[in-house]
Amino acid sequence: MRNMSTLSEVERSGCLKLLKLLSDVDLFSLCDTVTNKMIAAENVTEARETILSFSKNAEELLKRKKVHRDIIFKYLAKEGVFMSINIEKHQLVKRTLELWSTEMAAVKEHIQQGTDDSAERRRKRTEDDTSNVETDYDCETLILGQQFCSWFFQLLNSQNPLLGQQPQDWGPQHFWTDAKLRLFSSAGSEQMEEFVGAELVSCRLLALTKEERLHFSPNLEANGLKALTSPHGLVLVAVAGTIHRDSVCLGIFEQIFGLIRSPMDNNCWKIKFVKMIIRGQDSMIGTQTPAPALMYSSSDLLMLSTQ
């Protein structure tokens, strides 16, 4: 007997967007699972419609193994909901259901209150808001920025002997040969340092953790990180965070990276330039420090790519 779906129109629309992010292999496998192999879909469109028809509810579909954590993460990012890169799947499922519940409530509000003109104004405003989000936060680039910062600071912090970690593979190989570093620090006195060349840039950044024993805690939430692609293909990643030594918070930092793919190194991303600002503050021991927000606009970052 066929299971009748109880998906609302909002949930159905959201689930369809999610399914379009699946690979064809995972999509057809999910179709087999949902239908117990009773229906063989002939194409991806039929597979998606079959999955939606045979799913009892949205939560059941979201919890399916083939609907991977990264798929839900990417879907939420496309919808303008930016989550921590380390968040677990069950939390992403919960947030997605909350999003759809909010949208359903908004639809009911439209029906109860709106005239046609009012509804059209709301629709236009939503489209404008979505357009702005897409301009400032390209989903793929934002995810790249989060992944890069997570990798970079984990790698850099592992060099700090106070943390007792096995040092990871830090070195000039992660930078372009003509890489540049501009380091401005304001902790008591102001100081500006500039370095050119992969070896020098790598050594100066390494000294921050290995010799100065600093630990960097980046804010990878939406208000602490921005990433975009310049017209010339340079990916700009800006992040804010706090600086610690042992249990003491020493201050905050803002860091901007310029990334370019290297065709000579398996097309991996390498660092072209780094601009870093460190601001000291009164030391705080054993207290929760608010995650600093990033103040750069998209236009600010694009200007930096030409300097």
Side-chain angles (χ1 to χ4, degrees):
M1 184 72 180
R2 174 175 171 170
N3 294 322
M4 297 303 294
S5 172
T6 59
L7 298 176
S8 68
E9 287 302 314
V10 169
E11 290 172 334
R12 182 181 176 84
S13 175
C15 287
L16 183 58
K17 291 179 182 179
L18 270 165
L19 293 177
K20 288 181 178 179
L21 298 175
L22 266 63
S23 67
D24 289 355
V25 173
D26 284 345
L27 182 69
F28 284 111
S29 176
L30 179 59
C31 185
D32 287 342
T33 300
V34 171
T35 65
N36 290 320
K37 296 186 177 180
M38 294 173 58
I39 295 179
E42 296 183 0
N43 52 59
V44 293
T45 300
E46 186 176 323
R48 292 175 189 137
E49 289 299 324
T50 302
I51 292 169
L52 294 176
S53 297
F54 277 75
S55 295
K56 293 180 181 179
N57 53 60
E59 184 174 7
E60 178 193 66
L61 178 55
L62 290 172
K63 289 183 176 180
R64 295 286 188 182
K65 289 184 179 180
K66 292 300 181 181
V67 183
H68 303 297
R69 171 197 167 278
D70 290 348
I71 294 295
I72 305 177
F73 183 92
K74 182 180 291 188
Y75 165 75
L76 287 174
K78 284 181 177 291
E79 295 298 306
V81 181
F82 304 111
M83 311 292 289
S84 168
I85 197 168
N86 297 317
I87 195 169
E88 296 181 2
K89 179 180 176 179
H90 71 89
Q91 294 172 299
L92 291 171
V93 170
K94 180 180 178 182
R95 183 65 185 90
T96 303
L97 294 173
E98 289 174 351
L99 173 66
W100 292 340
S101 177
T102 301
E103 290 179 354
M104 283 189 286
V107 170
K108 291 179 180 178
E109 180 182 349
H110 281 312
I111 295 173
Q112 292 172 355
Q113 115 186 85
T115 63
D116 289 342
D117 289 340
S118 176
E120 177 62 21
R121 286 195 299 271
R122 287 174 176 269
R123 184 191 64 77
K124 182 64 170 62
R125 190 160 60 244
T126 299
E127 288 178 352
D128 291 342
D129 291 344
T130 301
S131 176
N132 290 336
V133 168
E134 290 175 352
T135 300
D136 287 344
Y137 293 98
D138 172 69
C139 175
E140 299 292 340
T141 307
L142 180 64
I143 293 173
L144 169 63
Q146 290 177 316
Q147 292 175 339
F148 168 78
C149 286
S150 179
W151 166 83
F152 178 86
F153 288 104
Q154 184 179 22
L155 178 64
L156 184 59
N157 286 328
S158 73
Q159 314 302 317
N160 187 333
L162 295 179
L163 300 182
Q165 299 178 5
Q166 179 66 34
Q168 299 179 28
D169 186 26
W170 177 269
Q173 68 272 18
H174 302 303
F175 301 82
W176 285 88
T177 56
D178 60 347
K180 296 181 181 180
L181 166 64
R182 181 178 297 171
L183 175 60
F184 175 80
S185 58
S186 177
S189 60
E190 294 186 350
Q191 183 177 357
M192 171 72 79
E193 302 175 69
E194 291 191 2
F195 301 87
V196 179
E199 192 70 42
L200 289 177
V201 171
S202 171
C203 287
R204 183 61 186 100
L205 290 172
L206 175 62
L208 293 173
T209 52
K210 187 174 182 179
E211 298 174 14
E212 299 177 38
R213 306 295 199 266
L214 300 179
H215 174 248
F216 295 88
S217 178
N219 176 13
L220 301 184
E221 301 295 337
N223 67 333
L225 184 145
K226 186 182 287 287
L228 56 88
T229 303
S230 77
H232 306 292
L234 176 75
V235 170
L236 298 162
V237 180
V239 64
T242 51
I243 307 172
H244 307 261
R245 184 181 289 124
D246 284 335
S247 60
V248 180
C249 178
L250 301 178
I252 62 176
F253 73 90
E254 292 177 344
Q255 197 157 354
I256 302 170
F257 301 90
L259 308 178
I260 300 177
R261 285 191 185 275
S262 173
M264 304 303 293
D265 294 286
N266 297 320
N267 216 30
C268 69
W269 293 97
K270 298 179 72 170
I271 301 170
K272 183 69 172 179
F273 70 78
V274 183
K275 299 178 188 293
M276 188 173 192
I277 300 173
I278 295 176
R279 296 188 178 92
Q281 62 182 30
D282 294 336
S283 298
M284 297 180 290
I285 303 177
T287 60
Q288 290 290 332
T289 306
L294 189 68
M295 304 308 294
Y296 293 104
S297 67
S298 298
S299 58
D300 291 335
L301 294 182
L302 287 173
M303 286 180 61
L304 285 169
S305 69
T306 62
Q307 296 178 358

